[in-house]
Amino acid sequence: MVKTFGTIPENIPGNPTPFTLHIPDEALNELRQLIKLSPIGPKTWWNQDMTGQFGVSRPWLTEAKETWLSDFNWRKHEEFINSFPNFKIPIADHEAGSVDIHFAALFSKKKNAMPIIFLHGYPGSFLEFLPMMQLLTEKYTPETLPYHVIVPSLPDYGLSGGASENVEMTLDQAARIMNQLMVDLGFGSGYIAQGGDLGSMLTRIISVQYDACKAFHVNMLVLNPDQAPGSMADLTLDEREHLERTNKWRETGFAYALEHGTRPSTIGLVISSSPLALLAWIGEKHLEWSDPRGPISLDTILSMVTFYWFTSTFPRALYHAELVKNVLAGKSHPISLEKPMGYSLFPYDLVLVPHAWAKETYPNLVLFKTHSAGGHFGGLEQPRAFLEDVEEFVEKVRGTFE
């Protein structure tokens, strides 16, 4: 039973309580009615294109709507979520007030278990890491699990709350709250942080600002403006092709981020007005940002969108717009050059740093893994390879904790 991994370590500072997700039947029925009544726009020259160059196609959205209404089973996904230990815990923050944080967890009964926090990004959620957690429960028992696995919903995402005061959530606040979560769970003496997308940026902040974070691993890496890239001559043919895709995405796929960064109120209200609008907006990202040779299934996309809808995630979670402002302003983003660092490169990620450049830029890069498959959602698309990287990284940095 997966629930046997839910034994909380004794004498911890915080007070987590078990949580079970249940969406009322009335809410499910209302969602179904909203989907049914949501119109799909007329055919245009752009929306008949199936290549994705103009975004989601009308045929895809039509099929997805029909599948959402006829075949999709939310209760199946809800049961899978609840098969893992889930908790909520209030986190006190001097700016945000008391923030109710949700997290899924696999707690070990080993005294020397390594605490690891996994931080998701946009348009993701803690659901991205459930396949990895399932692999861990198949590989270990609570007595043999070498890690305490903590998988939170980021502040203002999913089942977590946001600032209780009338203040804007910021990256620094979110990072501080995630660090405090680990402290309140009794891991203040040392833990590893892992993240992708927004989670990778929060991981970078945590690596610089909090001593409790002893090492960090990311599956998305962006050079700062003051970190000049190396020579193209140092790159393999595959790496050059990867960079070409990155440059193309920056030219053609960044419009959503500009909207988030400059008009978060408008886009939040627009996308919240219809479940079909939400499906088109973030479904596009699951399609475009994943490896096209092994795309994320429609059922998985629908589960992600349904979860966003029931938790009102989208309009709350746009504080990643701060990243856009920093990019436009050419600001650097914190990242530790002293703490041990690991980097997993999945070839269809949005942005990446080739091996030669990463090795030159980050002196304490102790693990670099290039994969032949996978995209932006590494833990979701390639959970086994993702987990293997994390486990190898943990073994390389264990000495940091001694």
Side-chain angles (χ1 to χ4, degrees), residues 39-68:
I40 294 178
K43 292 182 180 180
T44 67
W45 183 80
W46 299 286
N47 68 32
Q48 295 303 295
D49 184 275
M50 301 294 289
T51 66
Q53 64 176 317
F54 302 121
V56 165
S57 72
R58 189 178 188 276
W60 182 87
L61 189 60
T62 300
E63 179 187 352
K65 176 181 178 179
E66 293 173 355
T67 302
W68 213 355

Side-chain angles (χ1 to χ4, degrees), residues 133-329:
M133 294 177 72
Q134 185 176 33
L135 291 174
L136 284 168
T137 64
E138 294 168 354
K139 183 176 182 179
Y140 300 107
T141 67
E143 289 73 24
T144 62
L145 180 66
Y147 328 105
H148 296 295
V149 177
I150 309 301
V151 182
S153 296
L154 295 182
D156 272 326
Y157 276 77
L159 298 165
S160 285
S164 60
E165 305 296 335
N166 188 25
V167 295
E168 179 183 14
M169 181 62 66
T170 65
L171 298 177
D172 281 343
Q173 284 180 25
R176 187 168 62 241
I177 291 168
M178 291 294 92
N179 174 74
Q180 192 61 47
L181 168 65
M182 295 301 278
V183 171
D184 287 1
L185 291 177
F187 306 133
S189 61
Y191 65 86
I192 293 172
Q194 197 289 325
D197 190 81
L198 173 61
S200 74
M201 297 304 182
L202 296 179
T203 295
R204 290 169 60 149
I205 295 174
I206 290 170
S207 74
V208 171
Q209 296 188 0
Y210 301 103
D211 291 338
C213 175
K214 302 299 184 183
F216 64 107
H217 175 275
V218 296
N219 56 286
M220 187 186 85
L221 186 58
V222 183
L223 289 177
N224 279 325
D226 59 346
Q227 295 173 321
S231 169
M232 293 292 288
D234 297 331
L235 307 187
T236 66
L237 179 60
D238 284 344
E239 287 174 331
R240 293 182 187 184
E241 291 177 352
H242 296 168
L243 286 177
E244 287 178 7
R245 282 199 297 270
T246 292
N247 291 334
K248 182 178 179 180
W249 176 78
R250 284 173 173 156
E251 294 173 357
T252 64
F254 201 62
Y256 85 95
L258 296 176
E259 180 69 23
H260 289 189
T262 58
R263 294 294 185 270
S265 176
T266 301
I267 196 62
L269 292 169
V270 168
I271 300 304
S272 300
S273 66
S274 162
L276 215 58
L278 180 64
L279 173 59
W281 192 260
I282 70 173
E284 175 194 85
K285 307 313 174 193
H286 288 99
L287 293 172
E288 182 183 355
W289 297 357
S290 60
D291 189 334
R293 301 166 300 175
I296 298 173
S297 71
L298 178 56
D299 186 68
T300 298
I301 294 173
L302 291 175
S303 73
M304 298 291 184
V305 176
T306 302
F307 181 73
Y308 260 49
W309 181 263
F310 284 137
T311 56
S312 299
T313 289
F314 185 83
R316 300 187 293 130
L318 293 175
Y319 61 86
H320 67 267
E322 183 182 346
L323 289 174
V324 179
K325 296 175 184 177
N326 289 345
V327 169
L328 295 176

Side-chain angles (χ1 to χ4, degrees), residues 2 26 30 62 120 147 175 203 297 321 348 355 359 395:
V2 175
E26 294 82 357
E30 179 184 81
T62 300
H120 66 80
Y147 328 105
T203 295
S297 71
Y348 279 85
H355 185 208
K359 187 176 180 180
E395 290 309 306

